[in-house]
Amino acid sequence: MKTTMEETHLNKHLSEHHMKVTKERNIILRSFLAASRHVTAEELHTLVKKKHPGVGLATVYRTLALFCACGLAEQRQFGDGHTRYELTYNVKHHDHMICTHCHRIIEFENEAIEALQNEMAVKHHFAIHNHKLEIYGHCWECTKKEGARG
Ligand SMILES: [Zn+2]
Ligand SMILES: [Zn+2]
């Protein structure tokens, strides 16, 4: 199989930190790339197990922590008690709207919002390294159902 740029990135990090490239790490990375965005460790483990039943949940957790450490992924907490992992390497910045009813996650990006944040940072002499904007509420579908229930 062709080596992806994500694998190249991970392998570079591993060699820089004198860690081994293991078959399991590559299996988990491939499943992570194929998984839906904002995946939990348990969901990813279920995917990995389908093809590789020997890989344990603890290994998935450790490997996800490694992905975060090397800049491939970031943790997301969307207020439902689950930690999700999102691929961020070579992915354009975006923000999230989270439905607190059905847990649908809507990704969006808006240049005006980004510009306003930068403007506020300048005003407060603040150097932004990173930001997360999370908007909580109900999606159109849940809003419609609520309306139907009266
Ligand atoms: Zn919803
Ligand atoms: Zn996202």
Side-chain angles (χ1 to χ4, degrees), residues 24 28 41 45 48-49 52-63:
E24 286 187 340
I28 295 167
H45 184 226
V48 171
K49 262 196 316 192
H52 305 277
V55 179
L57 180 60
T59 306
V60 172
Y61 267 109
R62 272 200 305 275
T63 309

Side-chain angles (χ1 to χ4, degrees), residues 37-38 86 94 96 107:
R37 303 173 55 71
H38 322 115
E86 171 163 27
H94 59 266
H96 299 97
E107 297 190 329

Side-chain angles (χ1 to χ4, degrees), residues 98-106 137-143 145-146:
I98 302 105
C99 178
T100 54
H101 189 248
C102 72
H103 306 296
R104 181 194 303 261
I105 297 159
I106 299 163
H138 285 174
C139 70
W140 61 271
E141 210 169 338
C142 291
T143 305
K145 279 184 206 152
E146 282 157 23

Side-chain angles (χ1 to χ4, degrees), residues 66-108:
L66 174 71
F67 293 171
C68 292
C70 78
L72 272 180
E74 275 179 32
Q75 283 192 0
R76 303 269 181 255
Q77 328 277 352
F78 288 146
D80 61 356
H82 292 287
T83 298
R84 291 166 204 283
Y85 295 83
E86 171 163 27
L87 179 74
T88 47
Y89 181 72
N90 233 17
V91 172
K92 201 172 183 306
H93 169 77
H94 59 266
D95 293 306
H96 299 97
M97 288 184 196
I98 302 105
C99 178
T100 54
H101 189 248
C102 72
H103 306 296
R104 181 194 303 261
I105 297 159
I106 299 163
E107 297 190 329
F108 71 94

